[in-house]
Amino acid sequence: MMIQQIKRQQREEQIMLSLDNLTYATRKQLQIINNLGGDRNAHRILHEMEKSKLISSIRTEQKVYFLSNKGKELIASNQGELKKSWITHTLMRNDLYIKLGMPDSWKKEKPVRWGENKLIPDATFKKGEEFFFVEIDNQQSMSKNIDKIKKYKDLSHVIFHQFKHHPTLIWSTISSLRAEKITEACKKEGLKFIVY
């Protein structure tokens, strides 16, 4: 009995830590990231955690989970106030994180500075010695995206001089039309990129 209790606590802590890191997540995302097994098992675990007030949820098209104040206290989270307007963007970033194989070095919204310039990618990670920058496009204006792409071109040169490789810019977007425009802009600037 004691061992089961300890295991349950560890699993709950793991889920809370991943929510601290992800901000918002769907059951499916938590299920994959925390190895929660089948749908029923994952549903049961999250339901129990919600009953214990460790996590909370809101309904959008699907149920979306986030850390409750009690959960934040338990794991000493310094997560600020959450905005509902971030949900779609955050879930898209989580999906991409899973799609890319959940890189260990994944950091969200870590500012990158060079000279007078600064970019805040939605996420960054490294594979071997190579840098990857992630941009989630769900409601940003296309002209803002194009400005960002120009900045990435500049950053790409800096990284090439310093680390002898061109970083890869990964975009996740909501429509094929936006994907085409982003692809065009990246090609025009000669970037190494992938668009999902």
Side-chain angles (χ1 to χ4, degrees):
M1 197 61 203
M2 193 66 186
I3 292 171
Q4 267 182 322
Q5 220 171 350
I6 291 168
K7 270 189 164 168
R8 200 185 85 195
Q9 257 178 323
Q10 287 173 335
R11 186 181 55 211
E12 287 177 348
E13 205 166 280
Q14 192 49 54
I15 292 168
M16 288 189 287
L17 288 168
S18 67
L19 273 175
D20 187 33
N21 191 23
L22 299 166
T23 313
Y24 288 112
T26 62
R27 175 185 47 82
K28 198 90 193 132
Q29 291 172 340
L30 289 170
Q31 203 171 336
I32 294 167
I33 293 167
N34 296 289
N35 293 320
L36 302 182
D39 292 354
R40 279 176 64 179
N41 190 46
H43 180 75
R44 181 184 56 79
I45 292 166
L46 296 172
H47 182 70
E48 280 171 16
M49 287 180 73
E50 223 177 333
K51 254 182 20 194
S52 314
K53 306 222 180 312
L54 299 174
I55 60 175
S56 301
S57 70
I58 37 177
R59 268 224 168 269
T60 53
E61 292 106 60
Q62 53 193 324
K63 209 170 188 185
V64 177
Y65 295 93
F66 56 96
L67 269 178
S68 66
N69 288 337
K70 181 181 175 184
K72 285 180 191 177
E73 259 170 52
L74 270 175
I75 60 164
S77 163
N78 53 11
Q79 201 176 66
E81 202 181 330
L82 303 183
K83 294 185 174 69
K84 282 186 181 163
S85 59
W86 297 344
I87 294 177
T88 307
H89 184 272
T90 304
L91 297 181
M92 282 173 74
R93 181 172 57 206
N94 297 348
D95 282 340
L96 193 59
Y97 170 65
I98 292 167
K99 187 182 228 156
L100 296 170
M102 302 186 277
D104 290 337
S105 57
W106 184 270
K107 302 253 184 306
K108 59 179 197 187
E109 288 159 20
K110 192 173 170 239
V112 180
R113 292 180 176 85
W114 70 103
E116 300 289 294
N117 301 297
K118 176 180 154 185
L119 269 167
I120 303 175
D122 290 312
T124 49
F125 66 97
K126 271 176 91 173
K127 252 193 208 154
E129 292 305 302
E130 213 177 317
F131 289 98
F132 292 82
F133 297 102
V134 172
E135 286 294 337
I136 305 297
D137 165 59
N138 72 314
Q139 44 184 252
Q140 190 142 256
S141 74
M142 206 34 89
S143 61
K144 262 197 174 148
N145 284 339
I146 288 168
D147 286 345
K148 257 189 182 171
I149 288 168
K150 288 179 177 158
K151 272 191 166 174
Y152 275 113
K153 180 185 182 175
D154 194 38
L155 176 60
S156 183
H157 290 307
V158 172
I159 288 175
F160 185 76
H161 283 295
Q162 229 174 326
F163 301 97
K164 304 294 172 249
H165 77 270
H166 288 290
T168 303
L169 179 55
I170 301 173
W171 284 87
S172 176
T173 186
I174 48 171
S175 74
S176 50
L177 184 70
R178 291 179 78 87
E180 270 173 45
K181 287 197 151 92
I182 288 169
T183 299
E184 259 169 52
C186 287
K187 278 184 177 162
K188 191 180 159 197
E189 298 301 337
L191 288 171
K192 200 164 137 191
F193 71 98
I194 303 167
V195 179
Y196 288 109

Short mmCIF file of all heavy atoms in Angstrom, two decimals, residues 115-147:
data_model
loop_
_atom_site.label_atom_id
_atom_site.label_comp_id
_atom_site.label_asym_id
_atom_site.label_seq_id
_atom_site.Cartn_x
_atom_site.Cartn_y
_atom_site.Cartn_z
N GLY A 115 24.42 41.40 -30.81
CA GLY A 115 24.57 42.83 -31.12
C GLY A 115 23.43 43.63 -30.52
O GLY A 115 23.14 43.53 -29.33
N GLU A 116 22.77 44.41 -31.36
CA GLU A 116 21.63 45.23 -30.91
C GLU A 116 20.31 44.48 -31.04
O GLU A 116 19.25 45.02 -30.74
CB GLU A 116 21.54 46.51 -31.78
CG GLU A 116 22.76 47.39 -31.73
CD GLU A 116 22.89 48.09 -30.38
OE1 GLU A 116 22.02 48.93 -30.06
OE2 GLU A 116 23.85 47.78 -29.64
N ASN A 117 20.38 43.27 -31.54
CA ASN A 117 19.16 42.52 -31.87
C ASN A 117 18.72 41.56 -30.79
O ASN A 117 19.52 41.07 -30.01
CB ASN A 117 19.37 41.71 -33.16
CG ASN A 117 19.72 42.60 -34.31
OD1 ASN A 117 18.92 43.44 -34.71
ND2 ASN A 117 20.92 42.44 -34.85
N LYS A 118 17.41 41.27 -30.83
CA LYS A 118 16.84 40.31 -29.88
C LYS A 118 15.65 39.62 -30.52
O LYS A 118 14.84 40.26 -31.19
CB LYS A 118 16.41 41.05 -28.62
CG LYS A 118 15.73 40.18 -27.59
CD LYS A 118 15.33 41.02 -26.39
CE LYS A 118 14.16 40.39 -25.67
NZ LYS A 118 13.68 41.23 -24.57
N LEU A 119 15.57 38.32 -30.33
CA LEU A 119 14.42 37.53 -30.78
C LEU A 119 13.96 36.68 -29.60
O LEU A 119 14.80 36.23 -28.81
CB LEU A 119 14.83 36.59 -31.91
CG LEU A 119 14.70 37.06 -33.36
CD1 LEU A 119 15.45 36.10 -34.27
CD2 LEU A 119 13.26 37.17 -33.79
N ILE A 120 12.67 36.44 -29.49
CA ILE A 120 12.19 35.50 -28.49
C ILE A 120 11.45 34.38 -29.23
O ILE A 120 10.26 34.49 -29.50
CB ILE A 120 11.28 36.17 -27.44
CG1 ILE A 120 12.03 37.32 -26.76
CG2 ILE A 120 10.82 35.13 -26.39
CD1 ILE A 120 11.22 38.14 -25.79
N PRO A 121 12.18 33.32 -29.58
CA PRO A 121 11.54 32.20 -30.26
C PRO A 121 10.52 31.54 -29.31
O PRO A 121 10.68 31.63 -28.09
CB PRO A 121 12.69 31.23 -30.53
CG PRO A 121 13.95 31.99 -30.30
CD PRO A 121 13.61 33.07 -29.33
N ASP A 122 9.50 30.90 -29.87
CA ASP A 122 8.54 30.20 -29.02
C ASP A 122 9.20 29.04 -28.30
O ASP A 122 8.80 28.67 -27.21
CB ASP A 122 7.33 29.75 -29.85
CG ASP A 122 6.50 30.95 -30.27
OD1 ASP A 122 6.20 31.79 -29.40
OD2 ASP A 122 6.18 31.08 -31.46
N ALA A 123 10.23 28.48 -28.92
CA ALA A 123 11.05 27.46 -28.26
C ALA A 123 12.38 27.36 -28.99
O ALA A 123 12.49 27.73 -30.16
CB ALA A 123 10.34 26.11 -28.27
N THR A 124 13.38 26.85 -28.27
CA THR A 124 14.68 26.57 -28.88
C THR A 124 15.13 25.22 -28.36
O THR A 124 14.76 24.80 -27.25
CB THR A 124 15.77 27.60 -28.45
OG1 THR A 124 15.73 27.73 -27.03
CG2 THR A 124 15.56 28.95 -29.08
N PHE A 125 15.92 24.52 -29.17
CA PHE A 125 16.55 23.30 -28.69
C PHE A 125 17.78 23.01 -29.54
O PHE A 125 17.98 23.64 -30.58
CB PHE A 125 15.58 22.11 -28.68
CG PHE A 125 15.09 21.65 -30.03
CD1 PHE A 125 15.68 20.59 -30.70
CD2 PHE A 125 14.00 22.28 -30.64
CE1 PHE A 125 15.21 20.16 -31.93
CE2 PHE A 125 13.52 21.86 -31.88
CZ PHE A 125 14.14 20.80 -32.51
N LYS A 126 18.61 22.09 -29.04
CA LYS A 126 19.81 21.70 -29.78
C LYS A 126 19.79 20.21 -30.02
O LYS A 126 19.33 19.45 -29.18
CB LYS A 126 21.06 22.04 -28.95
CG LYS A 126 21.60 23.42 -29.17
CD LYS A 126 22.77 23.71 -28.26
CE LYS A 126 24.08 23.32 -28.94
NZ LYS A 126 25.25 23.73 -28.15
N LYS A 127 20.24 19.81 -31.20
CA LYS A 127 20.44 18.39 -31.50
C LYS A 127 21.90 18.26 -31.84
O LYS A 127 22.35 18.86 -32.82
CB LYS A 127 19.57 17.97 -32.70
CG LYS A 127 18.41 17.12 -32.33
CD LYS A 127 17.79 16.49 -33.57
CE LYS A 127 16.31 16.23 -33.36
NZ LYS A 127 15.58 16.22 -34.62
N GLY A 128 22.64 17.55 -31.02
CA GLY A 128 24.08 17.53 -31.19
C GLY A 128 24.58 18.94 -31.00
O GLY A 128 24.30 19.58 -29.99
N GLU A 129 25.27 19.47 -32.00
CA GLU A 129 25.77 20.85 -31.91
C GLU A 129 24.86 21.83 -32.64
O GLU A 129 25.16 23.02 -32.71
CB GLU A 129 27.19 20.92 -32.51
CG GLU A 129 28.24 20.18 -31.69
CD GLU A 129 28.30 20.64 -30.24
OE1 GLU A 129 28.54 21.85 -30.00
OE2 GLU A 129 28.09 19.81 -29.34
N GLU A 130 23.78 21.32 -33.21
CA GLU A 130 22.95 22.16 -34.07
C GLU A 130 21.80 22.86 -33.34
O GLU A 130 21.13 22.26 -32.51
CB GLU A 130 22.39 21.29 -35.20
CG GLU A 130 22.23 22.06 -36.49
CD GLU A 130 21.73 21.17 -37.62
OE1 GLU A 130 22.22 20.04 -37.75
OE2 GLU A 130 20.84 21.64 -38.35
N PHE A 131 21.60 24.14 -33.68
CA PHE A 131 20.53 24.93 -33.07
C PHE A 131 19.24 24.86 -33.89
O PHE A 131 19.28 24.89 -35.11
CB PHE A 131 20.94 26.41 -32.98
CG PHE A 131 22.00 26.68 -31.97
CD1 PHE A 131 23.33 26.79 -32.36
CD2 PHE A 131 21.69 26.84 -30.62
CE1 PHE A 131 24.33 27.04 -31.42
CE2 PHE A 131 22.67 27.09 -29.68
CZ PHE A 131 23.99 27.19 -30.08
N PHE A 132 18.11 24.80 -33.17
CA PHE A 132 16.79 24.82 -33.80
C PHE A 132 15.95 25.89 -33.11
O PHE A 132 15.96 26.00 -31.88
CB PHE A 132 16.09 23.47 -33.65
CG PHE A 132 16.73 22.37 -34.45
CD1 PHE A 132 17.85 21.72 -33.96
CD2 PHE A 132 16.23 22.02 -35.69
CE1 PHE A 132 18.46 20.70 -34.70
CE2 PHE A 132 16.83 21.02 -36.44
CZ PHE A 132 17.95 20.36 -35.94
N PHE A 133 15.24 26.68 -33.90
CA PHE A 133 14.37 27.71 -33.36
C PHE A 133 12.94 27.41 -33.80
O PHE A 133 12.71 27.06 -34.96
CB PHE A 133 14.80 29.09 -33.86
CG PHE A 133 16.18 29.46 -33.41
CD1 PHE A 133 17.26 29.36 -34.28
CD2 PHE A 133 16.40 29.89 -32.11
CE1 PHE A 133 18.54 29.67 -33.86
CE2 PHE A 133 17.69 30.21 -31.69
CZ PHE A 133 18.76 30.10 -32.55
N VAL A 134 12.00 27.52 -32.88
CA VAL A 134 10.61 27.18 -33.15
C VAL A 134 9.73 28.42 -33.10
O VAL A 134 9.82 29.21 -32.16
CB VAL A 134 10.12 26.14 -32.11
CG1 VAL A 134 8.63 25.89 -32.25
CG2 VAL A 134 10.91 24.83 -32.25
N GLU A 135 8.90 28.58 -34.11
CA GLU A 135 7.92 29.66 -34.16
C GLU A 135 6.53 29.08 -34.37
O GLU A 135 6.32 28.29 -35.28
CB GLU A 135 8.25 30.64 -35.29
CG GLU A 135 9.43 31.54 -35.02
CD GLU A 135 9.20 32.55 -33.89
OE1 GLU A 135 8.03 32.87 -33.58
OE2 GLU A 135 10.20 33.00 -33.31
N ILE A 136 5.60 29.46 -33.51
CA ILE A 136 4.21 29.03 -33.63
C ILE A 136 3.42 30.19 -34.21
O ILE A 136 3.41 31.28 -33.65
CB ILE A 136 3.63 28.65 -32.25
CG1 ILE A 136 4.49 27.59 -31.55
CG2 ILE A 136 2.16 28.21 -32.37
CD1 ILE A 136 4.59 26.25 -32.25
N ASP A 137 2.77 29.96 -35.35
CA ASP A 137 2.03 31.03 -36.00
C ASP A 137 0.55 30.71 -35.95
O ASP A 137 0.06 29.89 -36.72
CB ASP A 137 2.51 31.14 -37.46
CG ASP A 137 1.55 31.96 -38.31
OD1 ASP A 137 1.32 33.12 -37.96
OD2 ASP A 137 1.03 31.42 -39.30
N ASN A 138 -0.17 31.31 -34.98
CA ASN A 138 -1.61 31.07 -34.99
C ASN A 138 -2.42 32.35 -35.10
O ASN A 138 -3.54 32.33 -35.53
CB ASN A 138 -2.07 30.23 -33.79
CG ASN A 138 -2.01 31.00 -32.48
OD1 ASN A 138 -1.02 31.66 -32.20
ND2 ASN A 138 -3.05 30.90 -31.70
N GLN A 139 -1.83 33.51 -34.71
CA GLN A 139 -2.62 34.73 -34.90
C GLN A 139 -1.75 35.96 -35.16
O GLN A 139 -2.23 37.08 -35.12
CB GLN A 139 -3.56 34.95 -33.72
CG GLN A 139 -2.91 34.73 -32.38
CD GLN A 139 -3.91 34.86 -31.21
OE1 GLN A 139 -3.89 35.67 -30.55
NE2 GLN A 139 -4.79 34.02 -30.96
N GLN A 140 -0.48 35.72 -35.41
CA GLN A 140 0.41 36.85 -35.66
C GLN A 140 0.22 37.37 -37.10
O GLN A 140 -0.06 36.60 -37.99
CB GLN A 140 1.85 36.38 -35.48
CG GLN A 140 2.84 37.51 -35.48
CD GLN A 140 3.94 37.26 -34.47
OE1 GLN A 140 3.95 37.84 -33.42
NE2 GLN A 140 4.87 36.39 -34.81
N SER A 141 0.38 38.67 -37.28
CA SER A 141 0.23 39.20 -38.63
C SER A 141 1.38 38.71 -39.51
O SER A 141 2.49 38.49 -39.02
CB SER A 141 0.23 40.73 -38.59
OG SER A 141 1.54 41.19 -38.36
N MET A 142 1.10 38.53 -40.79
CA MET A 142 2.11 38.01 -41.70
C MET A 142 3.30 38.96 -41.81
O MET A 142 4.45 38.52 -41.93
CB MET A 142 1.47 37.74 -43.07
CG MET A 142 2.14 36.68 -43.90
SD MET A 142 2.88 35.25 -43.05
CE MET A 142 1.54 34.12 -42.96
N SER A 143 3.06 40.27 -41.71
CA SER A 143 4.18 41.21 -41.80
C SER A 143 5.11 41.06 -40.59
O SER A 143 6.33 41.17 -40.72
CB SER A 143 3.67 42.65 -41.93
OG SER A 143 2.92 43.01 -40.81
N LYS A 144 4.55 40.74 -39.43
CA LYS A 144 5.38 40.48 -38.24
C LYS A 144 6.22 39.23 -38.46
O LYS A 144 7.40 39.17 -38.09
CB LYS A 144 4.51 40.30 -36.99
CG LYS A 144 4.41 41.54 -36.16
CD LYS A 144 3.91 41.20 -34.76
CE LYS A 144 3.96 42.42 -33.87
NZ LYS A 144 2.92 42.44 -32.86
N ASN A 145 5.59 38.20 -39.05
CA ASN A 145 6.31 36.96 -39.34
C ASN A 145 7.48 37.23 -40.29
O ASN A 145 8.58 36.71 -40.10
CB ASN A 145 5.38 35.92 -39.97
CG ASN A 145 4.46 35.28 -38.95
OD1 ASN A 145 4.73 35.29 -37.75
ND2 ASN A 145 3.36 34.73 -39.41
N ILE A 146 7.24 38.05 -41.30
CA ILE A 146 8.29 38.35 -42.29
C ILE A 146 9.42 39.13 -41.65
O ILE A 146 10.59 38.86 -41.91
CB ILE A 146 7.67 39.03 -43.54
CG1 ILE A 146 6.87 37.96 -44.31
CG2 ILE A 146 8.75 39.65 -44.43
CD1 ILE A 146 5.95 38.46 -45.39
N ASP A 147 9.09 40.07 -40.75
CA ASP A 147 10.14 40.78 -40.01
C ASP A 147 10.98 39.80 -39.19
O ASP A 147 12.21 39.92 -39.14
CB ASP A 147 9.52 41.82 -39.05
CG ASP A 147 8.98 43.03 -39.79
OD1 ASP A 147 9.34 43.21 -40.99
OD2 ASP A 147 8.21 43.81 -39.19
#
